[in-house]
Amino acid sequence: MLASHRLSLAWIGRGVEIERKFVPCTIKKGSEMIEMRYEAPRTLKAAVALLAAANGRAKVLAGGTDLLIQMRSGRIDPELLIDVKCIPELRTIAEEKGGYRFGAAVSAMELVEHEGLARMWPGVIDAVKLIGSIQVKGRATVGGNLCNASPAADSVPALVAAGALARIIGPGGRREVPVEEIPAGPGLTSLRAGEMVVSILLPKRPQRSGDAYLRFTPRTEMDIAVVGAGVNLTLNAKGVCSRARVSLGAVAERVLLLPDAAAALIGQRVDAAALERLAAAASAACRPIDDKRGTKEYRIKVAGVMARRAAQIAVKRAKGEV
Amino acid sequence: MTVKYQEKPLKIVGTRPLRPDGVDKVTGRARYAADYNLPGQLIGKVLRSPHAHARIKSIDTSKAAALPGVKALVTRDDFADMPVEYAASGELTINFRDVTRNMMAREKVFYDGHPVAAVAATSASIAREALKLIKVEYEVLPHVIDVLEAMKPDAPLLHEHQFTDGVTPKPDKPSNVAKRMVFALGSLEEGFKQADLVIEREFNTKPVHQGYIEPQACVASYTEDGQVELWTGTQGHFVFRAQLAKVLQMDVSKIRVTATELGGGFGGKNNIYNEPLAIALSRKSHRPVKMVMTREEVFRATGPTSGANVKIKMGCTRDGRITAADAELNFQAGAFAGSSVGMASMCTFTRYDLDNVRVVGNDVTVNRPKVAAYRAPGAPIAVFGVESVIDEMARKLGIDPIDFRLKNAAKEGTQTYYGPTLGPIGFVETLNRAKAHPNYRLPLGPDQGRGIATGFWFNIGKETSSTVHVNEDGTVTLIIGIVDVAGGTRATMAMMVAEEFGIDYDKVRPVVGDTSALGFNFITAGSRGTFAGGMAAVLAARDAMEKLCRRVARIRDVPPEAVAWKDGRAQPAEGSGTQFKPMSLEEIAREAGRTGGTISGHSEINAEGAGPGFGTHIADVEVDRETGSIKILRYTIVQDVGKAIHPAYVEGQFEGGAVQGIGWALNEEYVYGADGVLQNPGFLDYRVPVASDVPFIDSVIVEVPNPNHPYGVRGCGEVPIIAPMAAISNAVENAIGVRLREQPMSPPRVLKAIEAAALATTQD
């Protein structure tokens, strides 16, 4: 019997989870008796032990919205799936030092519906809201979005602009790294053998701060960023920008943090001229490729536009206008 | 055969009852092809070519055959070669020599995704493993993807035996141009002489997929006595049966096809793909075989419609009268000849009453999947060019775009350049209603614009049969052979039959019969469902009513001519002077068994006299000058449908067609790499519009009755996709002064055009 009848968007697509039995099992693949194991450890220690023992043939399963598609398409063929959704540290959102720490397996919809976090980091939530459909967000996780290491991941530029820190655990213990250091290239992370991301910390922020994320996609939704831009800034009492972080997605092999673009804002009133310098710096930092989702030339131009428009929203939020 | 239109008071036709298939669909009970399963069935999978063009040197299936769980394998060796023989399949013509090569490659593979072998195994994963063990040796050949490239004399040649048809003298060298056709009226030279303004432009469009939600799926069972049962998602189960009998060299009577619920077709489910493979695998394995395509397979190997290059040259007088119209249409046919260029040629200018016309069409083979029909096949491509040029003419002359079209509009009696003289049509009415619509006068903001475009489609009739059974309680079972492609066909047929009988709509249960239930029915194509299917159903009902009257004459002992059917009852015929107690359908049905047996009505017809459909669209857009993104603000469709049997389903057709046209205009395109391999075979990167990409669509139904249908019906499903590309392009020009002659108008393309225009202005 369910204790509560909470009906919210966060539960759409997660119905199965309510009654799921996390039974380790072996799945036969083909007739060659190649086997794939599924494990759902309940502690970090057990997860790390499984991961370390698998010699790189294991995959961590959180929401599975990228992993299962990659398995179905034949792009990856793991021997072990480690489902991390039963580990409490990966499933909680908690206040920490005036900011918020959330587990790597917290679903996107749980973040969207967390009032405190959404109020403090609206730009991060802008980005999380753009991941897939509501149904997909019911399963997809920000930890997975980060570790899938797509240059076009929506939540990552927003986290990078926010100055988020990732907590990593592995055979060598725990360590904390800035989020921007995790993706290394398409599908590649800087995580060492046997390591996984446990949680992400969105730090406390000063007064008069605002952040925003904008992406460009040909469709209005259900699409992948051609360019994504995250801006996080703080204004002083006179309305001058005192701190800023700017990041771009889908314009390089990984999400970029752009100090030069941030410098165009710091010490400025964020007027039209500063915004133009920001846009120029953002475009200059791009090193995109031509692919089916957009041309090089197009991405470079639109990166500046998205960065400028995101900064305008961030300023309004810092001023409390929206 | 035609049945004349008769105006009469209507009780059911024109209302909006629920469709009989609706509840099953929204509750998930509806059974689509992939929902059918048979005991002991195997799963079939297809090995596909990784090359755009290659000669097959050898195929070795021995290792795959030895894999435990593999029960059968088929390659080209399991199918007979077919001679050149043509047949109609929907709007397009097929050639069985090509059909057999498209379902399973023989000498060469012609596109990335071309089937090379198929396997049936006890599970999908074993079948997939088996595919990896099949060894195919290819000699890779140069390929050609673009239509203009393919037309060059030194282009890589697909078919060594293909000499351009329609050219005299017969060419001595083979060519990728399969056929050249010319339609002409009057004298172009004279026409251009009379013109004050001549505009000549070139346009390019990309192939687009029908984008049906349900991938192709089928289950086939071949029994030891040589009988086949097949469940498949199709627009025409009788046509599939005919094609299968041909390629499998079987008697038609030995194949029974059930058309399952269809998750969309739009012309893309007029052709067999996996069906013959599944039957052959079943024959070899002695087990039923199920095959379901993945979305990737759908994109790589089925559909789409042609990409094309279009050249338009038109002249008009200062006051806006078109004096000459010339077009050249170069259409990609895909791997085998037979694009929709013929249909497109006939639709190019047929909205206007013109004296001097020429349309040249070229059907060109390229290394892409063989094209299939797609909703008004070809017409949107040609019309995009023509309506863009007309818009430019109207703009240059300072004439309102609707007035310009009214000055030239086709009417009853207009001689078309492709043959027929038009009967009563409602084109002028759609233009007038569009002009009077409040949306045509709404103010526009900065970077917003409004565009007009129009469309014409023939609509067709063809072979159709239907049966109505009067059940023992007075209800009616209606069996139709028109596949309900999800547009509401069952509902509209039941409505017309209920109207005829004078009984309630819910007393008629419409069912799509399998191929053993009725005589041959042509495919659901050419917007013929409600026209031809409706005519057949009405005639079947009238046949039953005649029998009912004769039965009542016998029961009441009066002369047969003294009985007439009226208001759901057999009554004394007016003026017959005979009196008897009328009998209701229920009363007759109750006594039918004892008085001569069950009463059923039949009709087997070749429906003729389909009424052409015309539409006028108004698109309002806003362009983001910094990103090139186009937002559709409003969309208005005004179309003559003759008579809307079920207005909500007519509006559904308007909206669906417009949304597909919007997708074509904005973002849909195939992206091929330099290697000729398709790079975006999925809905993530092949961008059909999502709900938030399209606005609320305003539909205006115009009803100018078709004199050749009992209720005045014309087809309505195809016209709505014709105008959107042109209407949106015209609106973009109106918004930002930049005209796009290449589709789709994706953001990178729009931004580039904006920048090029800005550069041109500064250089001026």
Side-chain angles (χ1 to χ4, degrees):
Chain A
M1 175 95 182
L2 290 174
S4 88
H5 292 274
R6 180 172 176 253
L7 279 174
S8 81
L9 291 179
W11 286 94
I12 294 177
R14 290 197 287 132
V16 273
E17 215 161 309
I18 296 168
E19 290 193 34
R20 186 181 8 190
K21 295 180 182 70
F22 296 93
V23 182
C25 61
T26 298
I27 300 154
K28 284 177 191 163
K29 296 196 295 182
S31 59
E32 304 258 293
M33 306 299 286
I34 310 161
E35 293 181 341
M36 185 183 72
R37 271 194 309 143
Y38 166 85
E39 298 279 356
R42 287 171 186 275
T43 64
L44 277 176
K45 203 176 150 194
V48 169
L50 283 166
L51 198 54
N55 271 334
R57 303 224 179 81
K59 280 281 177 187
V60 174
L61 169 69
T65 54
D66 285 312
L67 191 67
L68 295 190
I69 287 166
Q70 290 164 10
M71 286 169 63
R72 287 224 177 110
S73 73
R75 248 160 63 209
I76 57 166
D77 200 9
E79 285 175 14
L80 170 65
L81 287 185
I82 305 169
D83 187 339
V84 292
K85 288 192 287 295
C86 295
I87 305 169
E89 287 93 326
L90 274 90
R91 291 301 301 274
T92 43
I93 306 176
E95 281 193 60
E96 184 176 313
K97 297 178 201 154
Y100 283 96
R101 177 175 295 280
F102 61 91
V106 167
S107 80
M109 280 314 292
E110 286 169 312
L111 286 178
V112 169
E113 294 197 336
H114 192 284
E115 285 177 18
L117 192 153
R119 207 179 312 120
M120 186 180 288
W121 288 101
V124 172
I125 296 303
D126 286 346
V128 174
K129 277 184 179 168
L130 290 170
I131 299 171
S133 61
I134 288 173
Q135 289 88 335
V136 167
K137 282 194 280 280
R139 295 211 65 88
T141 66
V142 168
N145 201 220
L146 176 63
C147 294
N148 185 51
S150 161
D154 281 311
S155 70
V156 180
L159 292 176
V160 168
L165 295 173
R167 174 172 293 167
I168 295 166
I169 194 164
R174 290 173 186 240
R175 60 190 182 105
E176 305 261 340
V177 301
V179 159
E180 57 269 28
E181 288 178 17
I182 292 188
L188 295 173
T189 67
S190 62
L191 295 175
R192 297 168 200 149
E195 281 189 334
M196 58 183 253
V197 173
V198 179
S199 60
I200 293 163
L201 177 71
L202 283 167
K204 181 184 177 181
R205 56 196 329 202
Q207 279 194 320
R208 291 182 299 275
S209 294
D211 68 328
Y213 174 79
L214 279 183
R215 70 168 184 189
F216 184 81
T217 56
R219 274 196 293 228
T220 45
E221 54 186 336
M222 304 302 290
D223 212 334
I224 286 190
V226 174
V227 172
V231 175
N232 173 31
L233 49 75
T234 302
L235 305 177
N236 68 15
K238 291 176 186 159
V240 173
C241 176
S242 57
R243 292 165 52 156
R245 284 171 69 92
V246 178
S247 74
L248 287 178
V251 296
E253 74 290 349
R254 60 188 170 81
V255 171
L256 301 177
L257 176 67
L258 310 180
D260 290 351
L265 300 176
I266 295 169
Q268 305 292 322
R269 274 190 181 281
V270 198
D271 52 10
L275 287 168
E276 273 322 307
R277 282 196 298 277
L278 163 73
S283 289
C286 297
R287 42 172 197 269
I289 52 165
D290 279 326
D291 71 2
K292 59 193 174 190
R293 296 190 181 131
T295 60
K296 234 175 186 167
E297 171 191 20
Y298 183 75
R299 284 187 158 119
I300 291 172
K301 273 176 205 142
V302 174
V305 176
M306 290 296 115
R308 165 159 51 74
R309 290 180 183 178
Q312 287 170 310
I313 298 169
V315 167
K316 277 191 180 164
R317 283 177 175 161
K319 290 179 177 167
E321 289 171 9
V322 281
Chain B
M1 142 133 235
T2 63
V3 179
K4 290 295 157 207
Y5 170 67
Q6 263 181 312
E7 203 176 343
K8 59 180 179 187
L10 300 170
K11 287 197 182 109
I12 294 165
V13 166
T15 64
R16 300 173 178 235
L18 291 178
R19 56 168 72 195
D21 48 315
V23 170
D24 278 358
K25 282 176 176 166
V26 298
T27 56
R29 264 195 199 88
R31 278 178 300 163
Y32 295 87
D35 297 321
Y36 284 79
N37 293 291
L38 293 178
Q41 80 188 7
L42 303 172
I43 301 298
K45 294 273 171 203
V46 177
L47 181 70
R48 296 178 183 278
S49 165
H51 303 296
H53 194 195
R55 197 170 301 284
I56 301 173
K57 293 172 78 177
S58 66
I59 304 174
D60 180 359
T61 59
S62 54
K63 272 195 183 152
L67 186 70
V70 170
K71 300 296 180 189
L73 275 144
V74 291
T75 65
R76 55 191 177 179
D77 299 336
D78 294 275
F79 300 97
D81 198 354
M82 308 295 296
V84 171
E85 186 184 342
Y86 294 96
S89 177
E91 285 102 336
L92 306 187
T93 301
I94 57 167
N95 173 356
F96 281 106
R97 185 183 186 278
D98 297 339
V99 170
T100 197
R101 278 168 176 73
N102 194 37
M103 71 191 206
M104 186 62 82
R106 297 187 79 81
E107 303 84 4
K108 295 206 286 186
V109 289
F110 291 106
Y111 53 93
D112 164 44
H114 198 159
V116 178
V119 58
T122 49
S123 76
S125 54
I126 294 174
R128 274 193 294 267
E129 285 294 319
L131 294 184
K132 293 182 199 159
L133 299 174
I134 298 174
K135 218 179 135 198
V136 184
E137 211 184 329
Y138 293 104
E139 178 197 341
V140 177
L141 302 169
H143 66 274
V144 61
I145 292 284
D146 178 71
V147 64
L148 292 180
E149 291 292 323
M151 290 172 78
K152 290 182 181 163
D154 57 347
L157 185 68
L158 275 76
H159 304 286
E160 291 82 5
H161 68 280
Q162 182 174 283
F163 294 81
T164 308
D165 193 13
V167 179
T168 43
K170 187 179 186 265
D172 55 1
K173 269 183 65 188
S175 163
N176 288 325
V177 182
K179 191 173 186 175
R180 182 177 188 270
M181 57 198 78
V182 182
F183 297 87
L185 183 74
S187 158
L188 275 187
E189 204 184 328
E190 278 305 308
F192 282 118
K193 240 184 250 168
Q194 294 160 24
D196 299 312
L197 172 67
V198 174
I199 293 183
E200 187 172 4
R201 301 283 181 235
E202 189 167 343
F203 302 85
N204 289 290
T205 68
K206 291 286 197 287
V208 289
H209 198 270
Q210 294 80 355
Y212 33 77
I213 292 295
E214 178 204 22
Q216 268 85 351
C218 66
V219 185
S221 177
Y222 186 103
T223 60
E224 278 62 30
D225 60 347
Q227 309 285 327
V228 168
E229 278 201 84
L230 174 72
W231 291 261
T232 187
T234 172
Q235 291 177 238
H237 44 333
F238 292 90
V239 169
F240 269 36
R241 183 181 64 171
Q243 292 180 12
L244 290 166
K246 188 71 84 179
V247 298
L248 296 167
Q249 299 185 301
M250 292 180 66
D251 290 344
V252 167
S253 65
K254 292 206 168 84
I255 305 173
R256 181 177 172 192
V257 185
T258 301
T260 62
E261 285 293 351
L262 196 71
F266 314 107
K269 288 180 183 160
N270 290 354
N271 305 300
I272 52 172
Y273 292 102
N274 278 344
E275 290 82 359
L277 312 186
I279 294 171
L281 287 166
S282 176
R283 183 166 57 193
K284 272 188 134 174
S285 64
H286 303 278
R287 304 259 294 262
V289 174
K290 177 171 181 170
M291 297 181 82
V292 181
M293 280 198 196
T294 62
R295 182 61 61 184
E296 183 181 327
E297 289 181 292
V298 169
F299 274 111
R300 285 173 70 202
T302 75
T305 190
S306 304
N309 165 265
V310 171
K311 298 179 181 97
I312 306 287
K313 183 180 174 187
M314 295 176 78
C316 69
T317 60
R318 209 164 284 116
D319 61 350
R321 175 73 198 149
I322 300 168
T323 57
D326 190 15
E328 181 187 319
L329 314 178
N330 301 309
F331 272 42
Q332 296 167 3
F336 301 98
S339 73
S340 55
V341 68
M343 317 295 283
S345 297
M346 293 185 264
C347 289
T348 306
F349 296 113
T350 306
R351 293 164 308 288
Y352 304 109
D353 187 0
L354 306 177
D355 295 330
N356 306 302
V357 183
R358 183 180 65 179
V359 181
V360 177
N362 287 310
D363 186 36
V364 185
T365 47
V366 293
N367 293 111
R368 296 171 178 263
K370 163 80 166 79
V371 299
Y374 181 21
R375 211 168 189 158
I381 299 166
V383 166
F384 163 50
V386 173
E387 294 290 305
S388 295
V389 168
I390 287 184
D391 196 65
E392 208 175 327
M393 287 178 148
R395 199 92 69 195
K396 279 215 167 101
L397 296 172
I399 302 173
D400 172 273
I402 293 183
D403 287 341
F404 188 97
R405 287 168 173 88
L406 276 167
K407 270 180 205 270
N408 295 284
K411 303 172 191 71
E412 183 171 5
T414 292
Q415 168 66 50
T416 65
Y417 60 90
Y418 69 91
T421 301
L422 296 172
I425 53 168
F427 184 41
V428 168
E429 286 80 352
T430 69
L431 287 165
N432 284 330
R433 291 282 288 276
K435 201 178 171 193
H437 199 283
N439 286 0
Y440 195 58
R441 289 185 300 275
L442 284 178
L444 293 164
D447 297 334
Q448 296 184 349
R450 179 165 296 145
I452 297 291
T454 65
F456 149 81
W457 188 247
F458 322 85
N459 302 325
I460 61 168
K462 302 203 75 148
E463 302 105 295
T464 314
S465 50
S466 202
T467 288
V468 297
H469 297 300
V470 177
N471 300 319
E472 56 274 29
D473 61 352
T475 60
V476 170
T477 299
L478 166 65
I479 302 179
I480 60 173
I482 296 264
V483 173
D484 187 341
V485 294
T489 301
R490 273 164 289 184
T492 55
M493 304 290 118
M495 288 169 77
M496 284 183 263
V497 166
E499 188 79 57
E500 289 288 320
F501 276 110
I503 57 176
D504 289 344
Y505 164 72
D506 63 5
K507 296 287 181 201
V508 182
R509 184 70 190 173
V511 176
V512 179
D514 67 48
T515 54
S516 66
L518 293 167
F520 183 86
N521 276 266
F522 191 61
I523 213 155
T524 305
S527 298
R528 75 182 211 94
T530 313
F531 168 73
M535 193 188 289
V538 164
L539 289 172
R542 289 181 184 176
D543 184 41
M545 288 188 293
E546 206 180 303
K547 289 175 184 166
L548 287 162
C549 288
R550 283 208 300 272
R551 184 66 57 86
V552 170
R554 198 193 300 168
I555 295 169
R556 294 284 190 244
D557 197 19
V558 294
E561 60 274 13
V563 187
W565 194 266
K566 210 181 159 216
D567 298 332
R569 300 190 308 168
Q571 308 203 34
E574 260 174 61
S576 69
T578 315
Q579 286 303 316
F580 62 86
K581 192 168 167 241
M583 290 184 81
S584 70
L585 189 60
E586 209 179 314
E587 286 167 320
I588 308 165
R590 217 181 300 136
E591 292 187 27
R594 286 178 273 130
T595 58
T598 301
I599 294 169
S600 296
H602 303 273
S603 80
E604 287 83 23
I605 60 168
N606 182 14
E608 290 172 299
F614 290 83
T616 300
H617 290 202
I618 311 169
D620 284 6
V621 305
E622 183 175 305
V623 183
D624 183 335
R625 285 176 182 270
E626 289 186 323
T627 63
S629 180
I630 297 169
K631 186 179 176 192
I632 314 286
L633 300 170
R634 272 177 293 277
Y635 204 94
T636 312
I637 300 172
V638 188
Q639 187 182 319
D640 172 27
V641 302
K643 173 72 193 173
I645 302 297
H646 192 303
Y649 299 160
V650 168
E651 288 159 5
Q653 291 296 318
F654 286 12
E655 291 162 12
V659 169
Q660 288 184 313
I662 287 170
W664 203 337
L666 296 188
N667 284 306
E668 291 181 37
E669 69 179 304
Y670 280 44
V671 182
Y672 278 92
D675 55 1
V677 172
L678 184 60
Q679 296 191 340
N680 59 336
F683 278 139
L684 184 57
D685 290 306
Y686 180 89
R687 295 183 173 94
V688 299
V690 295
S692 50
D693 289 330
V694 287
F696 184 83
I697 290 169
D698 289 303
S699 292
V700 179
I701 296 172
V702 174
E703 294 180 321
V704 176
N706 172 10
N708 301 314
H709 184 275
Y711 290 94
V713 166
R714 300 171 191 275
C716 73
E718 288 172 291
V719 176
I721 200 177
I722 300 174
M725 265 197 284
I728 293 167
S729 174
N730 290 342
V732 169
E733 198 281 337
N734 185 233
I736 57 169
V738 177
R739 189 170 286 282
L740 282 118
R741 298 193 179 89
E742 202 162 324
Q743 302 281 352
M745 296 177 282
S746 60
R749 217 167 257 141
V750 175
L751 194 60
K752 216 171 179 174
I754 290 172
E755 283 167 354
L759 198 65
T761 317
T762 39
Q763 279 169 353
D764 285 348

